[in-house]
Amino acid sequence: MKKILLQLIIGCFMVPLFSSCNLFGLDLQKDFEYEYSPVELTMDMNAYAFIESRKNMDMSLLYDAINLAGYQQEYETEGRTFIVLNDVAFTSYLKDQHYSGLQAMKIEDIKTLLNSYIIKGRYHSLDLTTTPVKVETINPNTTMYLSLRAQNNDAQNKFEVRINEVVNSGKIVSVVTSNLQPTNGIMHVVDAYPEYKLK
């Protein structure tokens, strides 16, 4: 009992000592104003260079597909919007289409896939509304729609970019990172691949 009482007394003296803000000459910080710094969306590189910079992180399959198809120039062309499949989306596509890997795809199939995700013109989320807008990809056989969907009040971005949110358009996909701005257009990153109905 004496041992427990002694520990309690020592504890009562130690708590104020270690909770003191003047311990070791440190002063209590009275206030801190958070300086908001938004994510830098503009970049000093084109879309191809950005994808290349992410090849060891989350865009290795897209980077390899671009190079297998000889499409570097397509991702350096001005005035385009790129729907960027990250590795999760690309892996899902390969699995769903029963490819054992990227190397199992024919070059023409890779080109068709990439063409379906390159849009003529620049489409920033500020250019979109909740009404889907039909956009033209460089694949003449597919149709794509871009729109916005309102987010809940707690979301940092009040609107989410959506792909193909119209009846009978194919699989609807939400953009996970929108409005990246390389020097030659706009990029929207997805972690699920949009599917398209043929025209």
Side-chain angles (χ1 to χ4, degrees), residues 62 65-66 69-71 74-75 80-83 85 90 107-120 135-144 196:
L62 178 59
I66 292 168
Y71 260 34
E74 294 295 338
Y75 284 81
R80 289 190 168 165
T81 300
F82 303 92
I83 305 300
L85 302 179
F90 216 117
I107 298 301
E108 284 308 309
D109 293 340
I110 294 173
K111 288 180 179 181
T112 299
L113 175 68
L114 296 177
N115 288 344
S116 299
Y117 299 120
I118 301 174
I119 301 167
K120 296 177 181 179
V135 295
E136 186 180 356
T137 68
I138 64 172
N139 181 349
N141 297 318
T142 58
T143 300
M144 182 192 292
Y196 302 100

Side-chain angles (χ1 to χ4, degrees), residues 85-105:
L85 302 179
N86 66 16
D87 285 342
V88 173
F90 216 117
T91 299
S92 177
Y93 175 83
L94 293 171
K95 180 182 174 191
D96 291 350
Q97 301 303 314
H98 307 291
Y99 289 111
S100 58
L102 185 60
Q103 303 298 331
M105 289 184 74

Side-chain angles (χ1 to χ4, degrees), residues 2 26 30 36 44-45 63 97 107 110-111 132 149 183:
K2 287 183 181 179
L26 300 175
K30 300 287 184 198
Y36 175 70
D44 236 359
M45 61 181 83
Y63 175 75
Q97 301 303 314
I107 298 301
I110 294 173
K111 288 180 179 181
R149 183 174 73 173
T183 55

Side-chain angles (χ1 to χ4, degrees), residues 15-16 35 42 58 80 83 102 119 127 140 144 150 154-155 163-164 188-189:
V15 168
E35 292 182 22
T42 59
D58 59 354
R80 289 190 168 165
I83 305 300
L102 185 60
I119 301 167
D127 303 318
M144 182 192 292
D154 296 335
I163 300 171
N164 288 343
H188 300 298
V189 181

Side-chain angles (χ1 to χ4, degrees), residues 47-56 59 63 67 72:
Y48 177 80
F50 175 74
I51 293 166
E52 183 178 34
S53 76
R54 307 279 304 187
K55 69 181 179 184
N56 294 323
M59 295 181 188
Y63 175 75
N67 289 316
Q72 178 175 342

Side-chain angles (χ1 to χ4, degrees), residues 152-190:
N152 65 40
N153 292 337
D154 296 335
Q156 181 179 0
N157 294 325
K158 297 299 179 196
F159 290 92
E160 167 184 76
V161 177
R162 303 274 284 175
I163 300 171
N164 288 343
E165 192 163 31
V166 294
V167 177
N168 295 325
S169 67
K171 183 167 72 177
I172 299 167
V173 170
S174 295
V175 169
V176 293
T177 304
S178 59
N179 304 323
L180 295 173
Q181 297 170 52
T183 55
N184 62 322
I186 305 289
M187 298 172 78
H188 300 298
V189 181
V190 293

